[in-house]
Amino acid sequence: MDRIEPLFVTVESFSGPLDLLLQLIRKNRLQIEDIPLSEITSAYLQSMNESSDVDTESAGDFLVLASELMYIKSRTLLPRPEDDEEVDPREELVQRLKLYEKFQNITLVLSDHEKKHAGRILKLAEDLTAFQSEPLELKGDLDALTSAFADLLQRKARQESEESVVRQDFIRSEPFEISVAMERIQERVSARPIRMEALVLTHSVGEWIAVFISVLELIKIQFLTVEVEQGEIYLRRREFE
Amino acid sequence: MNNSIALEALLFIWSGGLSTEEIAKMVRMTTSQTTKALEELQRKYSPDTSGIVLSRYGNTWLLETNASCFSLIQSAIGEENPKNLSQQAMEVLSIIAYRQPVTRVEVEAIRGVRSSSVFDTLLARELIREAGRKDTVGKPYLYETTDTFLRVFSLSSLEELPAMPSERETPCD
């Protein structure tokens, strides 16, 4: 048997250890069913040794296969009892290689498919906000709204507790009146969405709650619509024809 | 109003694509009537006769440019080839496509290499999505391909995936 040629390349050029093994097999025109284990193992190890820039994580995967190869090799070298019914230790590896090769082939087919049909371009989505003075249905549902608000409160509470360590003694609790908050919201909110956060002047959780209750109230009387986007609550004035 | 006129307008406005159900709701028809009307409209927007094509990917309908115009558009924009998926990403994607729904570990077992960052890329590009959890130890997430996947590979449904070479020798399944 001729010496099996190793491959000298960086590990990055392989999509994995099985890929490296398959390429070794192909380069040396071998059959998967019939790989000379000893030679392929040393070629595999040599390819690994010669490879530079191996990051530890993917190197681990390459080493796993290397140790598997050596394990199988040692198994084939050991004499086995006559009545041993165990299958050829190479068998599992052969099946894995075959399955992997099959997927590699189908990947090529799909890649071709992708290239052949590339270049169908979509129009960008229209900005429809001008037509949406009265949305058919409320987009941000109640769950999204309450959970966004709960997150906000938690964030604020953390901020407040950090700050209040110093200021606690100087500031008395202020009552926040819903009616005041409602007035402020009605003044500020327009057809353009505005972040709810922008309507709160202090870091006080109490004020947040007052604002939130006002928002709910204003939704109820159909003055406002809300939308929750990426955890942010946006308010917009509801318009009627 | 003529149905096809309404459908054309809707598909033009919601250019990112609409599902059959969304369209049906808007034009107040049943989904089967809608599907039929859309298929009818596909004849008008056919790749043979139109620069804009009405395509169906899974359950998503959309208008897009005719693929044959791409080189023209490309030279007009002066744009290089679009960024294709990496070899790794393509491998993971095809394993998911043919074995879906499938867990990450099952994909990794076939490839023999960890693939979590590739999964993140595919999820971010909306080519795959989570599809519930597998009822085994640890309840791992299952993954499946999306309508975006179908569009990228120009398949109107998963049945159109190129046939795998015979599976009789594979030990899995």
Side-chain angles (χ1 to χ4, degrees), chain A residues 95-215:
Chain A
Q95 293 301 344
R96 273 179 69 193
L97 276 174
K98 277 185 169 172
L99 180 64
Y100 180 65
E101 192 184 35
K102 210 173 274 181
F103 274 111
Q104 270 201 334
N105 292 337
I106 204 76
T107 300
L108 289 179
V109 176
L110 276 181
S111 287
D112 277 355
H113 212 79
E114 183 198 2
K115 283 189 202 99
K116 209 167 83 196
H117 294 279
R120 292 151 297 134
I121 298 168
L122 273 181
K123 201 162 68 69
L124 286 182
E126 292 289 334
D127 178 8
L128 298 175
T129 46
F131 303 99
Q132 285 174 329
S133 50
E134 197 186 359
L136 289 172
E137 43 193 329
L138 198 62
K139 249 201 159 169
D141 57 13
L142 193 60
D143 285 342
L145 181 64
T146 47
S147 80
F149 185 64
D151 285 352
L152 248 166
L153 266 190
Q154 227 162 42
R155 229 158 51 215
K156 290 296 146 194
R158 221 174 299 133
Q159 249 175 44
E160 191 177 36
S161 71
E162 275 164 22
E163 283 168 14
S164 60
V165 176
V166 189
R167 302 190 314 190
Q168 217 164 24
D169 297 332
F170 303 103
I171 297 177
R172 277 187 215 96
S173 67
E174 300 168 56
F176 289 96
E177 294 210 17
I178 308 275
S179 59
V180 177
M182 263 173 80
E183 259 177 44
R184 194 160 75 218
I185 296 169
Q186 279 171 309
E187 275 168 23
R188 293 281 304 278
V189 168
S190 67
R192 285 168 62 94
I194 178 172
R195 266 172 59 206
M196 194 171 98
E197 218 160 325
L199 294 169
V200 185
L201 306 176
T202 68
H203 287 309
S204 154
V205 172
E207 190 188 1
W208 272 102
I209 292 171
V211 168
F212 189 62
I213 293 173
S214 314
V215 167

Side-chain angles (χ1 to χ4, degrees), chain B residues 35-81:
Chain B
T35 308
K36 237 174 118 188
L38 286 162
E39 279 164 358
E40 189 74 28
L41 194 59
Q42 269 187 315
R43 250 174 268 166
K44 179 175 173 189
Y45 288 101
S46 130
D48 301 329
T49 53
S50 174
I52 292 167
V53 177
L54 173 54
S55 308
R56 176 190 196 159
Y57 301 110
N59 198 29
T60 305
W61 299 82
L62 47 83
L63 292 170
E64 57 190 359
T65 60
N66 194 320
S68 64
C69 308
F70 188 48
S71 55
L72 183 83
I73 295 169
Q74 238 178 342
S75 62
I77 323 171
E79 186 58 48
E80 295 288 307
N81 282 326

